[in-house]
Amino acid sequence: CDDDFMGRKALEVARANGLQRKLVCLVLPPCEGSDQEPLHGTETIWRNDKCVGFVKSTAFGHSLGRTVAYGYVDCPSGLKKITNKWLTEEGVKWAIGNKGKTLEAEIHLKAPFDPKNLRINGTYEE
């Protein structure tokens, strides 16, 4: 069996360099009334007051009662690769920039609704 294929060398280099861009899930805090304008995508993603990416998709999560945004975060210079540890470091502040406003957000490494996938088994947490 021949394990060689077109693009193998490029793939090996990419694996050795580590993840340089990662899809992340950000959730905005619950909003009271109609204070929060809807997000539409292409908003900026901020980590500790530094722009690190852009929102690609967003929607209101009715089960959560909060706005959920997915976007790509780029690896900053000085960091070899993006890791979950870097994303969730204690004291890190995540935000989404929308029309000149900064909206506080929290990052989720798993689905924000039912991250343990219990509901599919009939287990409903109160």
Side-chain angles (χ1 to χ4, degrees):
C1 180
D2 189 15
D3 290 339
D4 200 22
F5 56 89
M6 187 182 302
R8 181 183 185 97
K9 289 180 184 176
L11 178 61
E12 288 173 348
V13 169
R15 277 188 172 169
N17 289 339
L19 201 54
Q20 300 299 303
R21 176 178 279 179
K22 183 170 175 103
L23 181 67
V24 297
C25 175
L26 297 166
V27 179
L28 299 179
C31 120
E32 297 179 21
S34 60
D35 293 344
Q36 185 176 311
E37 294 182 37
L39 302 177
H40 300 286
T42 70
E43 292 86 3
T44 51
I45 298 175
W46 297 80
R47 182 184 186 271
N48 289 340
D49 299 322
K50 182 179 179 190
C51 183
V52 293
F54 292 93
V55 171
K56 293 294 184 181
S57 178
T58 181
F60 185 78
H62 291 276
S63 296
L64 297 170
R66 301 164 71 179
T67 300
V68 180
Y70 281 89
Y72 286 96
V73 172
D74 292 320
C75 187
S77 59
L79 190 65
K80 183 177 177 182
K81 63 181 181 177
I82 294 177
T83 63
N84 288 345
K85 182 180 177 183
W86 178 80
L87 292 170
T88 59
E89 282 178 353
E90 192 172 327
V92 170
K93 293 181 182 177
W94 288 94
I96 295 176
N98 182 31
K99 300 177 188 166
K101 297 178 186 174
T102 302
L103 308 172
E104 183 181 316
E106 61 183 57
I107 194 161
H108 289 262
L109 297 180
K110 295 187 175 190
F113 181 75
D114 191 24
K116 295 179 182 175
N117 208 18
L118 298 174
R119 291 177 67 103
I120 198 165
N121 296 321
T123 306
Y124 297 90
E125 297 177 345
E126 299 281 330

